[in-house]
Amino acid sequence: MKRLLNTLYINQPDVYLSLDGENIVLHKAEQQLGRMPLHNLESIISFGYTGASPALMGYCAEHKIALTFMTMHGRFLARVIGKSRGNVILRKKQYRLSDSVEHSALVARNFILGKVFNHKWILERMTRDYPLRINVENFKNAALELSKLMHNIRECSDLDLLRGLEGQAAIIYFSMFDQMILQQKDDFRFISRSRRPPLDNVNAMLSFAYTLLSNDVSAALEGVGLDAYVGFMHRDRPGRASLALDVMEELRGVLADRFVITLINKRLIHGSDFVKKENGAVIMGSEARKKFLRAWQQRKQEKMTHPFLGEKISWGLVPHVQALLLARFLRNDLDEYPPLLWK
């Protein structure tokens, strides 16, 4: 089992990263801000990219430390990747299946099945935990509709039809999303999903959480020898980590959406933490990002019982476990890929 280490988030602008021995050193305006041993780190995410020394990038690539650069607003820029150490037979199998639309659909439907199953149970939990604060009948009806779609998804072998079913499920799930926000309703209302750019506070948080999750999943896939850029449901597009987006589908609700709702309902994030730009885009301020990232790291340390393994692991290890299970399926060690079915 891959040991869950720490992620170093560099949230200040204009910070240059360098290597000193086996330590990462942070510099700003010719001053040293700090240093940290690299053997304690699994990944480094730098916001407001200024630069990193070739020596540091080489060390991270050699020692499988994911080094990711993002804008201050959380938009992905680049990730340093070393030479591939994956089993060439595994990747060739991945490429062969991806080239076939028919085989891709058979793999992709389990990602979507896991996604819809988890969304259903998020709604079911709301009816159990907050029966006096929500319209229980509406939530139960939505959960019932998702159950019906799950049956169709399980039998689906057409990729375009599968995308259509996933879209229907997303509409049902997000139609209930605003009702799961129980606090700070004046500042956090959800009408619909907006991505590029996010147009309200909730969408800004969702987009940021999805970006962080995508980085974690990409690193996990590369760690088991898979190509994060060759997917099954998400087809090839230059610069897009399609397989990471595939595997993310089942994790969006349980890892990202519930996390965002918790931050709002526990009043850990406030309306004053956001800035609206002239083009209508809404972004989190620097202090809000710090709070968000601290809470994200804490969330990854919390424990859960993995439904397939039957073992207690941290949430931060879930992407690594799912990547390992996907690799085992592609090696024919499993009859099919077991998505994370959370309850």
Side-chain angles (χ1 to χ4, degrees):
M1 179 63 68
K2 183 171 181 178
R3 186 164 58 98
L4 177 65
L5 302 176
N6 298 314
T7 298
L8 172 64
Y9 294 101
I10 296 115
N11 197 42
Q12 294 189 42
D14 305 324
V15 173
Y16 183 80
L17 313 177
S18 67
L19 181 70
D20 182 13
E22 294 190 346
N23 300 286
I24 180 175
V25 184
L26 282 61
H27 305 272
K28 184 173 183 179
E30 300 183 356
Q31 293 184 345
Q32 180 175 313
L33 296 181
R35 63 170 50 221
M36 180 176 291
L38 283 162
H39 68 265
N40 288 330
L41 298 177
E42 180 186 51
S43 59
I44 302 166
I45 300 179
S46 178
F47 295 88
Y49 167 67
T50 295
S53 70
L56 176 65
M57 290 189 284
Y59 184 97
C60 290
E62 181 69 22
H63 292 82
K64 299 184 181 180
I65 300 173
L67 177 57
T68 304
F69 300 104
M70 304 170 69
T71 69
M72 289 300 294
H73 300 155
R75 183 172 60 83
F76 175 81
L77 290 175
R79 188 162 62 93
V80 175
I81 301 174
K83 57 187 178 182
S84 174
R85 293 180 173 81
N87 185 328
V88 65
I89 297 175
L90 174 63
R91 290 204 177 202
K92 288 178 71 174
K93 177 70 175 295
Q94 177 188 356
Y95 299 150
R96 284 197 300 271
L97 290 182
S98 178
D99 283 341
S100 167
V101 177
E102 292 79 11
H103 285 100
S104 291
L106 298 180
V107 181
R109 70 183 181 189
N110 278 21
F111 299 136
I112 303 307
L113 185 67
K115 177 181 184 177
V116 178
F117 180 94
N118 292 334
H119 283 176
K120 172 183 178 291
W121 275 101
I122 289 173
L123 301 184
E124 291 279 6
R125 280 208 170 193
M126 288 296 297
T127 64
R128 184 194 70 187
D129 296 341
Y130 304 101
L132 301 180
R133 304 189 64 179
I134 63 171
N135 188 319
V136 172
E137 184 178 358
N138 287 349
F139 273 77
K140 287 187 174 181
N141 288 337
L144 180 61
E145 290 300 314
L146 292 180
S147 294
K148 294 177 182 178
L149 284 173
M150 284 169 54
H151 175 74
N152 294 334
I153 291 168
R154 192 72 184 91
E155 302 299 321
C156 182
S157 58
D158 180 272
L159 200 55
D160 288 332
L161 179 57
L162 183 63
R163 293 192 183 100
L165 293 171
E166 187 274 335
Q168 292 178 46
I171 291 172
I172 295 169
Y173 168 71
F174 278 118
S175 71
M176 310 305 297
F177 201 87
D178 185 65
Q179 297 181 54
M180 291 190 277
I181 300 173
L182 305 176
Q183 302 288 340
Q184 308 185 85
K185 296 293 289 188
D186 290 340
D187 292 322
F188 295 95
R189 299 205 71 88
F190 182 88
I191 299 174
S192 63
R193 182 78 180 103
S194 56
R195 298 170 177 82
R196 303 180 185 88
L199 299 177
D200 56 53
N201 297 347
V202 178
N203 275 291
M205 296 174 71
L206 288 174
S207 292
F208 194 45
Y210 293 159
T211 299
L212 295 175
L213 181 57
S214 174
N215 290 331
D216 289 346
V217 173
S218 293
L221 292 168
E222 296 285 346
V224 299
L226 291 167
D227 189 333
Y229 289 82
V230 178
F232 300 103
M233 180 172 175
H234 293 84
R235 309 308 286 170
D236 295 348
R237 182 184 298 175
R240 183 173 75 175
S242 295
L243 185 59
L245 294 177
D246 284 353
V247 177
M248 268 183 66
E249 292 294 350
E250 67 202 68
L251 305 179
R252 287 178 186 266
V254 291
L255 268 172
D257 297 354
R258 291 182 69 238
F259 173 74
V260 167
I261 291 171
T262 297
L263 290 185
I264 298 170
N265 287 342
K266 289 189 174 181
R267 299 180 179 271
L268 300 175
I269 294 285
H270 305 93
S272 58
D273 289 322
F274 296 83
V275 177
K276 189 165 188 175
K277 312 295 283 187
E278 292 182 358
N279 65 350
V282 175
I283 61 173
M284 284 190 289
S286 59
E287 289 303 315
R289 277 197 309 275
K290 291 178 183 178
K291 291 188 289 186
F292 194 102
L293 293 170
R294 282 197 297 268
W296 180 257
Q297 279 297 91
Q298 292 169 2
R299 172 61 171 157
K300 288 167 64 175
Q301 304 296 330
E302 294 176 6
K303 300 292 185 180
M304 58 89 71
T305 300
H306 193 280
F308 183 78
L309 300 180
E311 297 179 9
K312 272 194 174 294
I313 62 172
S314 64
W315 274 105
L317 269 180
V318 168
H320 298 279
V321 170
Q322 295 309 121
L324 182 61
L325 292 173
L326 179 58
R328 290 186 62 190
F329 161 68
L330 293 176
R331 292 192 184 100
N332 296 320
D333 294 334
L334 294 172
D335 292 335
E336 59 181 330
Y337 167 73
L340 180 77
L341 303 178
W342 170 84
K343 283 190 178 182

